[in-house]
Amino acid sequence: NQVLTAAQALVSECIQRERNSNMAGAGTLRSALTEAMTVAVDGRCEPAVRAIFKACVSPEAAVRAFRLETLRDAAARGDIGIVRCFLEAFAAAEARGVDPHFIVYRRRSAIIAAASTGAVEVVRLIHSDLLENCICNMFAADAAAAAPPERRAAVEAAMMPKRRCNLQHQQATLLHGEEAA
């Protein structure tokens, strides 16, 4: 709660300074919010990451409240909770009209970073997120190529099915299979 309160205070002050045309002061506060996000992610503090995203008044502000490297590094570490926070923020932003082209590169860098370290569960999470938002994971080949040789098969398996229609079929099969059992 203290992190949320502090993040909300930063966002509120930033908005006030923008309204008063104090862009330099607003920029400084935005930088502080970005730094707070970096510290929260580096410290693997999922509640703080969620609080910072929640404090942002708009979905676009939320997805701009971090450095690209922050998500990439969390994905490479295999920090599934932190990556999930980011993916949830992306989904909320896209649902509210933020241009998906702004977000797609962030997903790409995250899945490649996770694959490059063999963080299979994070690869699976991002792959599923991509299939929910796109017809296919257009970064699967790049992610598989980035995987260490000893983890490549696991990374490739984590990116199954390859297309959303296959995912829907797989989910329907599981659903009907569970009903039959």
Side-chain angles (χ1 to χ4, degrees), residues 127-161:
H127 175 73
S128 294
D129 180 73
L130 282 162
L131 289 186
E132 287 177 20
N133 294 288
C134 308
I135 195 159
C136 67
N137 174 358
M138 59 207 130
F139 313 120
D142 293 336
E150 67 277 5
R151 302 291 291 159
R152 188 162 293 137
V155 166
E156 288 173 343
M159 293 186 291
M160 292 292 171

Coordinates of all heavy atoms in Angstrom, one line a residue, residues 127-161:
H127 N 4.4 -16.6 -25.2 CA 3.8 -17.2 -26.4 C 2.3 -17.2 -26.3 O 1.6 -16.9 -27.2 CB 4.4 -18.6 -26.5 CG 3.8 -19.4 -27.7 ND1 4.1 -19.1 -29.0 CD2 2.9 -20.4 -27.7 CE1 3.4 -19.9 -29.8 NE2 2.7 -20.7 -29.0
S128 N 1.8 -17.7 -25.1 CA 0.3 -17.7 -24.9 C -0.3 -16.3 -25.1 O -1.3 -16.1 -25.7 CB 0.0 -18.3 -23.6 OG 0.4 -19.6 -23.5
D129 N 0.4 -15.3 -24.5 CA -0.1 -13.9 -24.6 C -0.1 -13.5 -26.1 O -1.1 -12.9 -26.5 CB 0.8 -13.0 -23.8 CG 0.4 -11.6 -23.8 OD1 -0.6 -11.2 -23.2 OD2 1.1 -10.8 -24.5
L130 N 0.9 -13.8 -26.8 CA 1.0 -13.5 -28.2 C -0.2 -14.1 -29.0 O -0.8 -13.5 -29.8 CB 2.3 -13.8 -28.8 CG 3.5 -12.9 -28.5 CD1 4.8 -13.5 -28.8 CD2 3.3 -11.6 -29.3
L131 N -0.4 -15.4 -28.7 CA -1.5 -16.1 -29.4 C -2.9 -15.5 -29.0 O -3.8 -15.5 -29.9 CB -1.5 -17.6 -29.1 CG -0.4 -18.4 -29.7 CD1 -0.6 -19.9 -29.4 CD2 -0.2 -18.1 -31.2
E132 N -3.0 -15.0 -27.8 CA -4.3 -14.3 -27.4 C -4.5 -13.0 -28.2 O -5.6 -12.6 -28.4 CB -4.3 -14.1 -25.9 CG -4.5 -15.3 -25.1 CD -4.5 -15.0 -23.6 OE1 -4.7 -13.8 -23.2 OE2 -4.2 -16.0 -22.9
N133 N -3.4 -12.4 -28.6 CA -3.5 -11.0 -29.2 C -3.2 -11.0 -30.6 O -3.4 -10.0 -31.3 CB -2.5 -10.1 -28.4 CG -3.0 -9.9 -27.0 OD1 -4.0 -9.2 -26.8 ND2 -2.3 -10.5 -26.0
C134 N -2.6 -12.1 -31.2 CA -2.3 -12.1 -32.6 C -2.7 -13.5 -33.1 O -2.9 -14.4 -32.3 CB -0.7 -12.0 -32.8 SG 0.0 -10.5 -32.0
I135 N -2.7 -13.7 -34.4 CA -3.0 -15.0 -35.0 C -1.9 -16.0 -34.8 O -2.2 -17.2 -34.7 CB -3.5 -14.8 -36.4 CG1 -4.2 -16.1 -36.9 CG2 -2.3 -14.5 -37.3 CD1 -5.0 -16.0 -38.1
C136 N -0.7 -15.5 -34.7 CA 0.4 -16.4 -34.4 C 1.5 -15.7 -33.7 O 1.5 -14.5 -33.6 CB 0.9 -17.0 -35.8 SG 1.7 -15.8 -36.8
N137 N 2.5 -16.5 -33.2 CA 3.7 -15.9 -32.6 C 4.7 -15.7 -33.7 O 5.4 -16.6 -34.1 CB 4.2 -16.8 -31.5 CG 5.5 -16.3 -30.9 OD1 6.1 -15.3 -31.3 ND2 6.0 -17.1 -30.0
M138 N 4.8 -14.5 -34.2 CA 5.7 -14.2 -35.3 C 7.1 -14.1 -34.9 O 8.0 -14.0 -35.7 CB 5.3 -12.9 -36.0 CG 5.2 -11.7 -35.1 SD 4.1 -10.5 -35.7 CE 3.2 -10.1 -34.2
F139 N 7.4 -14.3 -33.6 CA 8.8 -14.2 -33.1 C 9.3 -15.6 -32.7 O 10.4 -15.7 -32.1 CB 8.9 -13.3 -31.9 CG 8.2 -12.0 -32.2 CD1 7.2 -11.5 -31.4 CD2 8.6 -11.2 -33.2 CE1 6.5 -10.3 -31.6 CE2 8.0 -10.0 -33.5 CZ 6.9 -9.6 -32.7
A140 N 8.5 -16.7 -33.0 CA 8.9 -18.0 -32.5 C 10.2 -18.4 -33.1 O 11.1 -19.0 -32.4 CB 7.8 -19.0 -32.9
A141 N 10.5 -18.2 -34.4 CA 11.7 -18.7 -35.0 C 12.9 -17.9 -34.4 O 13.9 -18.5 -34.1 CB 11.7 -18.4 -36.5
D142 N 12.7 -16.6 -34.1 CA 13.8 -15.8 -33.5 C 14.1 -16.3 -32.1 O 15.2 -16.4 -31.6 CB 13.5 -14.3 -33.5 CG 13.4 -13.7 -34.8 OD1 14.1 -14.3 -35.8 OD2 12.7 -12.7 -35.0
A143 N 13.0 -16.6 -31.3 CA 13.2 -17.1 -30.0 C 13.8 -18.4 -29.9 O 14.8 -18.7 -29.1 CB 11.8 -17.2 -29.3
A144 N 13.4 -19.3 -30.8 CA 14.0 -20.7 -30.8 C 15.5 -20.6 -31.2 O 16.4 -21.2 -30.6 CB 13.3 -21.6 -31.8
A145 N 15.8 -19.7 -32.1 CA 17.2 -19.5 -32.6 C 18.1 -18.9 -31.4 O 19.3 -19.2 -31.3 CB 17.3 -18.6 -33.8
A146 N 17.5 -18.1 -30.6 CA 18.2 -17.5 -29.5 C 18.5 -18.5 -28.3 O 19.3 -18.2 -27.5 CB 17.4 -16.3 -29.0
A147 N 17.7 -19.6 -28.2 CA 17.8 -20.5 -27.1 C 19.1 -21.2 -27.1 O 19.7 -21.5 -28.2 CB 16.7 -21.5 -27.2
P148 N 19.7 -21.5 -25.9 CA 20.9 -22.3 -25.8 C 20.6 -23.7 -26.4 O 19.5 -24.2 -26.3 CB 21.2 -22.4 -24.3 CG 20.3 -21.4 -23.7 CD 19.2 -21.1 -24.6
P149 N 21.6 -24.3 -27.1 CA 21.3 -25.6 -27.7 C 20.7 -26.6 -26.8 O 19.8 -27.4 -27.2 CB 22.7 -26.0 -28.2 CG 23.5 -24.8 -28.3 CD 22.9 -23.8 -27.3
E150 N 21.1 -26.6 -25.6 CA 20.6 -27.6 -24.6 C 19.2 -27.4 -24.2 O 18.5 -28.2 -23.6 CB 21.5 -27.8 -23.4 CG 21.6 -26.6 -22.5 CD 22.6 -25.5 -22.9 OE1 23.2 -25.6 -24.0 OE2 22.7 -24.5 -22.2
R151 N 18.7 -26.2 -24.4 CA 17.3 -25.8 -24.0 C 16.4 -25.5 -25.2 O 15.2 -25.3 -25.1 CB 17.3 -24.5 -23.2 CG 18.1 -24.6 -21.9 CD 17.6 -25.5 -20.8 NE 16.3 -24.9 -20.3 CZ 15.4 -25.6 -19.7 NH1 15.5 -26.9 -19.5 NH2 14.3 -25.0 -19.3
R152 N 17.0 -25.6 -26.5 CA 16.2 -25.3 -27.7 C 14.9 -26.1 -27.8 O 13.9 -25.6 -28.1 CB 17.1 -25.4 -28.9 CG 16.4 -24.9 -30.1 CD 17.3 -24.6 -31.3 NE 18.2 -23.5 -30.9 CZ 19.5 -23.4 -31.1 NH1 20.1 -24.4 -31.8 NH2 20.2 -22.4 -30.7
A153 N 15.0 -27.4 -27.6 CA 13.8 -28.3 -27.7 C 12.8 -27.9 -26.7 O 11.6 -27.9 -27.1 CB 14.2 -29.8 -27.6
A154 N 13.1 -27.6 -25.5 CA 12.2 -27.2 -24.5 C 11.5 -25.9 -24.9 O 10.3 -25.7 -24.7 CB 12.8 -27.1 -23.1
V155 N 12.3 -24.9 -25.4 CA 11.8 -23.6 -25.8 C 10.8 -23.8 -26.9 O 9.8 -23.2 -27.0 CB 13.0 -22.7 -26.1 CG1 12.4 -21.4 -26.9 CG2 13.7 -22.2 -24.9
E156 N 11.2 -24.6 -27.9 CA 10.3 -24.9 -29.1 C 9.0 -25.5 -28.6 O 7.9 -25.2 -29.1 CB 11.0 -25.7 -30.1 CG 12.1 -25.0 -30.9 CD 12.9 -25.8 -31.8 OE1 12.9 -27.1 -31.7 OE2 13.6 -25.2 -32.7
A157 N 9.1 -26.5 -27.7 CA 7.9 -27.1 -27.1 C 7.0 -26.1 -26.4 O 5.8 -26.3 -26.4 CB 8.3 -28.3 -26.2
A158 N 7.6 -25.2 -25.7 CA 6.9 -24.1 -25.0 C 6.1 -23.2 -25.9 O 5.1 -22.6 -25.5 CB 7.8 -23.3 -24.1
M159 N 6.5 -23.2 -27.2 CA 5.8 -22.4 -28.2 C 4.8 -23.2 -29.0 O 4.7 -22.9 -30.2 CB 6.8 -21.6 -29.0 CG 7.6 -20.6 -28.2 SD 8.7 -19.5 -29.1 CE 10.0 -20.7 -29.6
M160 N 4.2 -24.1 -28.5 CA 3.2 -24.9 -29.2 C 1.8 -24.6 -28.5 O 1.8 -24.4 -27.3 CB 3.4 -26.4 -29.0 CG 4.7 -26.9 -29.8 SD 4.3 -26.7 -31.5 CE 5.9 -27.0 -32.2
P161 N 0.8 -24.5 -29.2 CA 0.6 -24.6 -30.7 C 1.2 -23.4 -31.3 O 1.4 -22.4 -30.7 CB -0.9 -24.8 -30.9 CG -1.5 -24.1 -29.7 CD -0.5 -24.3 -28.6

